[in-house]
Every structure is written in C-alpha cells, then in structure tokens.
C-alpha cells in the first residue's frame, strides 16, 4: 500500500452519530468522507471525488441505499468501486438482493467495528489486485 496516500473511504449513513463514529474510528488509517444524505454524497462524487471504497446504509430519507447502490453500479465512473452495505435490515432476501446488485459485502447493525475494518481492508486489497 502506498504510504504517501491513504485509501479514501466514503460512508453514507443518515445517522449523524454513526457518521461521527465512523470518521473517528477510521480517520487515522484512511481519508474518510461521510455524508448523512445520499444526494449530497452523489453530488460530492460527481464533483470528481473518487473513493477507494463505499460503506452504505440502506434506510435513508431522500434516496435509499438500494437506489444509490444501483446508481453506483450503473455508473460509467463509479461501477468498480467496492460497496459494503451496513444496515439494520437483517433479512436474507435483502442481503441477497444487494449482493446480486453489486455490493461486495453486507454487514448487519449493530456491528463490530473491528469486523468492518477487516472487511474494508480485505475488499481494498481485492480491488487493487483485480
């Protein structure tokens, strides 16, 4: 991994507390960007920002995580960015649907931050290998 530039993570979760926690937890190892609104995150991406990985909540007010996942995976620019779903929806059919639509992983809330960290590291390594 390049020591000069930390990988960039984009967290999209409508909970301010969750965003603050994720920024604080991952801020030392990564460049962290967090948005509570999917439309704001989409706007940030379209301004030329390109994270190495996206962690996305499903239940959000303006645009759902499922809609965002679809936007990412059908986008010419962003379709190769790995997306991890981090959601309180604990239904097998929801996990399968997200994985079929292009998410690389699905983690249920409440979650162990160390597990999320390991999965992020794994998917970042996978995306640099391929």
């Amino acid at each position: 991994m390049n020591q000069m530039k930390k990988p960039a993570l984009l967290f999209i979760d409508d909970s301010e507390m969750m965003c603050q926690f994720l920024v604080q937890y991952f801020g030392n190892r990564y460049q962290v960007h967090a948005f509570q609104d999917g439309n704001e995150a989409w706007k940030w991406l379209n301004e030329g920002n390109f994270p190495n990985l996206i962690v996305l909540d499903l239940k959000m007010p303006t645009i759902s995580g499922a809609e965002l996942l679809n936007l990412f995976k059908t986008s010419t620019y962003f379709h190769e960015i790995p997306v991890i779903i981090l959601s309180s929806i604990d239904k097998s059919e929801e996990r399968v649907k997200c994985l079929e639509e292009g998410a690389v992983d699905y983690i249920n809330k409440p979650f162990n931050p160390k597990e999320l960290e390991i999965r992020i590291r794994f998917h970042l390594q996978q995306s640099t290998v391929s």
Side-chain angles (χ1 to χ4, degrees):
M1 192 186 306
N2 185 344
Q3 296 296 334
M4 307 264 284
K5 192 168 183 231
K6 297 177 184 178
L9 303 180
L10 171 59
F11 293 103
I12 308 169
D13 193 301
D14 63 331
S15 161
E16 182 180 354
M17 212 163 74
M18 180 61 73
C19 284
Q20 288 174 349
F21 169 76
L22 293 166
V23 166
Q24 187 173 9
Y25 188 88
F26 291 100
N28 290 336
R29 291 195 56 170
Y30 301 98
Q31 293 177 54
V32 180
H33 308 275
F35 292 92
Q36 291 172 246
D37 180 293
N39 289 324
E40 290 297 314
W42 185 247
K43 184 176 159 219
W44 179 81
L45 286 165
N46 281 298
E47 288 169 355
N49 297 293
F50 203 85
N52 299 89
L53 186 139
I54 298 169
V55 177
L56 177 61
D57 185 19
L58 289 179
K59 292 199 264 185
M60 292 190 296
T62 56
I63 180 170
S64 76
E67 291 171 296
L68 272 174
L69 177 61
N70 185 266
L71 281 173
F72 298 146
K73 293 304 163 185
T74 56
S75 161
T76 309
Y77 299 108
F78 309 122
H79 71 277
E80 290 188 9
I81 300 172
V83 178
I84 296 175
I85 302 298
L86 183 62
S87 177
S88 59
I89 301 172
D90 188 11
K91 292 188 180 138
S92 178
E93 56 270 18
E94 192 65 39
R95 289 192 298 274
V96 167
K97 183 176 166 227
C98 289
L99 294 168
E100 282 180 340
E101 291 181 8
V104 295
D105 215 332
Y106 191 112
I107 300 172
N108 288 321
K109 291 178 184 175
F111 65 100
N112 179 334
K114 189 69 182 167
E115 179 185 356
L116 178 59
E117 184 180 343
I118 290 164
R119 291 181 188 223
I120 286 172
R121 197 166 48 237
F122 173 79
H123 291 297
L124 285 173
Q125 288 169 345
Q126 293 299 347
S127 67
T128 56
V129 170
S130 48

